[in-house]
Amino acid sequence: MTRLFIALVVCLSALKAPAQYFEGKVIYRQSVTSKMPGVTDSALSATVGNEESYFLKGGFYRSMTNGTGFSMQQYDHRTNRLYFKNPDIDTLYWVDAGKSTDKPISFETREDAETILGKRCDALVVQTANGTIVFYYSRRYKLDAAMFSRHTYGGWAFYVEKSGCLPLKTVIDNEKFHLESTATEVLELDLKESFFDISPTIPQVKFK
């Protein structure tokens, strides 16, 4: 009886345990179509890149692409700064992630909207002043919304608050372009916080 009681307590404790948040790396395939006169799809694609490697741990993330524009983007929840790096310039530019010009106006959730990597995904459809953003997510890959509550840049805090999950696909459509970013691989890794350290020797400049 004692062993059964202990087993029951362990099971109930597991049920009450906090959700495990995703930590690791996601590889996304990207495609973009230009709506800007004089800017071809190929030119915009070269700037944005067609592949993104995204690393996440707690309130840190780092995005690296093969584009010729900003090839690296990194967020630090402690300073609420979003850093950008051009592949040809040894300088980090940063913006206050608490500022955003494209604020959400309305949203809706669509259940079982698409299957990505074998996972059934719901979709959060967000209407902004500049267009529409659709986030497809599986509840298997949870995020800690509290860590990103100040990250209003790009509507990230709003998205994480409403879904609580990592997007497996993002579709952005506005008057300038149509972009789709779809996960091709998700790897759960034990990342060290030092992975997101920024070298003190790299110049930092506030982006204007």
Side-chain angles (χ1 to χ4, degrees):
M1 180 63 72
T2 302
R3 286 179 297 166
L4 290 176
F5 177 75
I6 293 174
L8 180 59
V9 170
V10 171
C11 290
L12 291 175
S13 298
L15 289 174
K16 294 180 180 179
Q20 180 67 42
Y21 299 119
F22 174 78
E23 177 182 335
K25 174 183 179 181
V26 184
I27 299 175
Y28 295 96
R29 182 186 67 253
Q30 301 185 143
S31 63
V32 62
T33 302
S34 174
K35 297 182 182 181
M36 297 175 284
V39 180
T40 64
D41 294 348
S42 58
L44 187 57
S45 180
T47 301
V48 174
N50 60 16
E51 185 173 285
E52 175 189 12
S53 295
Y54 184 89
F55 301 86
L56 174 75
K57 178 184 179 68
F60 299 94
Y61 69 69
R62 177 185 294 175
S63 165
M64 303 178 70
T65 74
N66 58 355
T68 58
F70 288 111
S71 58
M72 191 276 282
Q73 177 178 309
Q74 181 162 313
Y75 176 70
D76 186 333
H77 68 100
R78 298 168 301 184
T79 60
N80 202 35
R81 285 185 177 184
L82 192 58
Y83 297 91
F84 302 88
K85 187 178 184 305
N86 184 291
D88 301 321
I89 301 176
D90 191 23
T91 298
L92 275 180
Y93 296 93
W94 63 270
V95 297
D96 179 355
K99 298 181 179 180
S100 178
T101 57
D102 193 18
K103 296 181 179 180
I105 297 175
S106 62
F107 74 97
E108 65 172 310
T109 302
R110 300 173 184 170
E111 296 184 352
D112 291 331
E114 191 166 332
T115 299
I116 303 169
L117 295 177
K119 308 293 188 301
R120 295 298 298 171
C121 295
D122 294 340
L124 178 69
V125 183
V126 182
Q127 186 68 42
T128 72
N130 296 328
T132 304
I133 306 176
V134 186
F135 302 93
Y136 297 86
Y137 58 94
S138 165
R139 299 192 182 280
R140 174 172 176 174
Y141 305 111
K142 296 183 180 297
L143 299 183
D144 186 353
M147 287 288 190
F148 301 103
S149 61
R150 298 187 295 155
H151 189 334
T152 57
Y153 189 94
W156 188 246
F158 183 86
Y159 162 72
V160 177
E161 176 193 356
K162 298 303 180 185
S163 71
C165 299
L166 178 80
L168 292 184
K169 180 178 179 179
T170 304
V171 179
I172 303 174
D173 189 79
N174 56 43
E175 61 181 10
K176 294 183 177 181
F177 60 84
H178 178 91
L179 182 145
E180 295 190 12
S181 178
T182 307
T184 58
E185 189 173 5
V186 179
L187 302 171
E188 296 189 35
L189 304 172
D190 182 14
L191 299 174
K192 304 298 182 184
E193 283 197 5
S194 58
F195 175 83
F196 301 93
D197 287 347
I198 295 175
S199 172
T201 63
I202 299 178
Q204 297 184 24
V205 177
K206 185 175 183 179
F207 189 77
K208 297 180 180 180

